[in-house]
């Protein structure tokens, strides 16, 4: 039975494409308001990692049984993703955009974690392959993602520290 895996992969692919469109719109608006992009050199690597992750899942997962526990974990992460998007609104983007003089967001999931979106992505990159029983895939992409996130979080934290004010 291929339809459950195809349906889930279609959902994730469409979700990511929709988020890229939203991010592009938000990035343009932030830049128009005086925002500055920080550390853009890592961005193509991050995009390639995420594209490779999805493409690889399309190659390996169709027809594999869906593990309901990991499916529930993954869907729980989607609820948290929506919480992040709703909290950040027009400030959510896939790039690091700093808007000088703007207070840090400290509501929603940002009350509990400094980078909840990154925590969610870490969970997604690990959990979705496990939905299909792809354990080594989950570990491999998680390690690659950790490398990208270390660079990204270091750059973002430094930028936030230098220009943002806390409410």
């Amino acid at each position: 039975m291929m339809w459950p895996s195809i349906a889930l992969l279609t959902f994730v692919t469409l979700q990511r494409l929709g988020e890229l469109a939203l991010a592009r719109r938000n990035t343009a608006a932030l830049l128009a308001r005086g925002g500055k992009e920080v550390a853009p050199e890592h961005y193509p690597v991050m995009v390639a990692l995420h594209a490779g992750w999805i493409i690889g899942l399309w190659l390996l997962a169709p027809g594999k049984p869906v593990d309901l526990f990991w499916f529930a974990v993954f869907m729980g992460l989607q609820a948290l993703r929506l919480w992040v998007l709703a909290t950040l609104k027009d400030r959510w983007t896939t790039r690091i955009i700093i808007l000088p003089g703007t207070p840090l967001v400290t509501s929603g999931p940002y009350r509990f974690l400094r980078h909840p979106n990154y925590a969610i992505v870490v969970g997604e990159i690990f959990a979705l392959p496990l939905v299909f029983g792809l354990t080594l895939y989950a570990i491999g992409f998680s390690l690659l993602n950790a490398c990208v996130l270390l660079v990204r979080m270091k750059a973002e934290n430094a930028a936030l520290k230098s220009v943002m004010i806390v409410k």
Side-chain angles (χ1 to χ4, degrees):
M1 221 168 48
M2 289 185 75
W3 75 265
S5 56
I6 297 292
L8 182 54
L9 291 172
T10 299
F11 166 77
V12 172
T13 302
L14 292 175
Q15 175 192 51
R16 292 304 200 263
L17 291 173
E19 287 174 356
L20 284 174
L22 175 64
R24 183 171 290 149
R25 187 189 79 203
N26 289 349
T27 295
L30 288 167
L31 293 174
R33 291 173 43 201
K36 305 287 183 220
E37 184 172 3
V38 177
E41 59 279 352
H42 82 281
Y43 189 73
V45 175
M46 186 179 75
V47 170
L49 173 78
H50 285 259
W53 176 71
I54 290 175
I55 290 166
L57 287 171
W58 273 104
L59 293 172
L60 298 172
K64 297 242 185 226
V66 171
D67 181 292
L68 293 179
F69 172 79
W70 287 109
F71 176 76
V73 169
F74 184 78
M75 294 313 289
L77 291 166
Q78 300 321 290
L80 294 173
R81 173 182 286 285
L82 290 174
W83 190 21
V84 166
L85 289 167
T87 300
L88 290 179
K89 298 178 181 98
D90 62 350
R91 289 175 65 180
W92 184 87
T93 182
T94 54
R95 295 182 177 270
I96 302 172
I97 306 294
I98 301 301
L99 195 57
T102 305
L104 287 173
V105 173
T106 56
S107 61
Y110 292 85
R111 289 181 302 206
F112 309 108
L113 289 174
R114 182 161 179 136
H115 298 289
N117 195 61
Y118 299 157
I120 292 162
V121 171
V122 165
E124 289 173 330
I125 285 178
F126 188 72
L128 186 57
L130 293 179
V131 168
F132 307 112
L134 301 170
T135 304
L136 292 177
Y137 194 90
I139 293 168
F141 269 92
S142 292
L143 292 172
L144 292 171
N145 185 53
C147 295
V148 172
L149 278 181
L150 286 173
V151 171
R152 184 176 175 92
M153 288 174 63
K154 182 178 178 183
E156 187 169 343
N157 286 336
L160 291 173
K161 192 176 198 177
S162 71
V163 299
M164 301 299 270
I165 56 175
V166 180
K167 285 186 195 178

